[in-house]
Amino acid sequence: MTIAHVFGRNPRDRVLRAGLLAGAEAVEEGLLAAVKSDVPFIAESGRSLLRTEKGWRLHPLLVLLAARFGDPHAPGVAPAAVAAELTHLAALGHDSVCDAEAAAHPGPGSGTLGAPSVAVLTGDFLFARASQIVADLGPDAVRAQTAAYARMVTGRMLARTGPGEGCDPVAHHVEVAAARTGSLTGASGRLGALASGADARVCDALARYGERLGTALGLTDDVLGAAAVGPPPTHPAPRRALRDARRRAHHARSALRDLPDCAAKDTLAGLCDTVTTRGAGT
């Protein structure tokens, strides 16, 4: 989801768009600086993740939008956006190992590091970089990032183990989506607000918005991915998941209700509409 994808034709968006594009440029520069390493395979693996995910900078976008409710030019805003994306990339590195294990990837060769080992090391390296950046933003930012990452790890474990005996599979899937996706989108909203100097009420509202939006996006993307594989056309689980996604997107919009009216608020509300239309026809 690029910045160009989230704007309507409202003339007020022109100023916001210019500010976000400038912020996005600073974020890209920060990301490139963060993945530098004296260890070649870590540096290249980090750059590869950056290239792969360049068109999908949701977390920095949420940080930059949340910062519009305080001082968007505060010095910590761009670093907060970089830290949010590095945390996301770190999780992706670890995810690739889970995918490799699921596909019965052979172990690393003698005397060399195989792809899963590189991915784990890269993920750890990026999370360390993110933590260094967040440490300069204060204890509230540290708590937001580390709590989100702990939930992300828990969500990945729950996804691997599956629902327990007697557990509703759809409820389990919602729990996984909230932990894996909603936790960091919620933290991104909070980090942007914190870095901009917004008050606690605004920080809490943007964190609620981000978590609900991210959970809805995670559910919708999972349903669309499953549909691409070809689930039974009369199967009820995808329809239930999409209904839940749309409900959470509606609740995300509701979380914005008490925030000041501005172009950033309109744009955040528009992201909720994106969720409700992604699964149409599925």
Side-chain angles (χ1 to χ4, degrees):
M1 185 177 296
T2 62
I3 288 173
H5 291 153
V6 300
F7 289 97
R9 298 181 178 178
N10 189 325
R12 289 191 302 167
D13 289 350
R14 295 172 184 171
V15 175
L16 176 61
R17 181 188 179 103
L20 292 181
L21 287 172
E25 184 176 349
V27 169
E28 291 303 318
E29 292 174 358
L31 288 171
L32 287 172
V35 299
K36 289 181 179 177
S37 171
D38 293 333
V39 181
F41 65 75
I42 290 181
E44 178 52 37
S45 183
R47 288 193 296 268
S48 177
L49 275 173
L50 287 182
R51 290 192 296 268
T52 301
E53 289 292 301
K54 189 166 185 177
W56 183 253
R57 294 280 194 252
L58 174 62
H59 303 94
L61 176 62
L62 290 177
V63 171
L64 295 174
L65 284 169
R68 307 302 292 194
F69 295 90
D71 176 7
H73 305 296
V77 171
V82 171
E85 185 67 5
L86 288 174
T87 304
H88 168 62
L89 294 173
L92 287 182
H94 290 162
D95 273 354
S96 68
V97 178
C98 295
D99 293 342
E101 289 179 352
H105 193 285
S110 177
T112 63
L113 283 171
S117 298
V118 172
V120 169
L121 291 172
T122 302
D124 291 343
F125 176 79
L126 295 180
F127 183 72
R129 287 287 203 222
S131 299
Q132 288 175 319
I133 294 170
V134 170
D136 292 333
L137 302 178
D140 288 341
V142 172
R143 280 191 285 269
Q145 187 232 11
T146 53
Y149 200 73
R151 288 186 62 203
M152 291 166 72
V153 172
T154 300
R156 279 154 177 78
M157 290 180 177
L158 290 173
R160 292 296 301 276
T161 58
E165 185 176 354
C167 177
D168 177 8
V170 175
H172 174 81
H173 193 67
V174 171
E175 182 181 7
V176 169
R180 290 184 62 172
T181 309
S183 58
L184 187 56
T185 49
S188 297
R190 185 177 294 280
L191 286 171
L194 284 171
S196 72
D199 64 39
R201 179 184 61 84
V202 171
C203 293
D204 290 345
L206 289 166
R208 286 194 300 273
Y209 163 85
E211 170 135 1
R212 293 168 183 175
L213 179 79
T215 303
L217 278 170
L219 287 170
T220 303
D221 285 348
D222 287 346
V223 170
L224 293 176
V229 176
T234 57
H235 200 287
R239 290 194 295 275
R240 282 186 57 197
L242 284 177
R243 284 197 299 271
D244 199 293
R246 290 165 185 149
R247 179 174 61 84
R248 287 171 187 271
H250 174 74
H251 289 167
R253 183 190 287 272
S254 297
L256 302 172
R257 181 175 48 216
D258 296 329
L259 295 180
D261 290 334
C262 60
K265 180 177 178 178
D266 294 341
T267 303
L268 290 170
L271 292 178
C272 300
D273 295 333
T274 299
V275 175
T276 60
T277 58
R278 281 170 67 83
T282 301

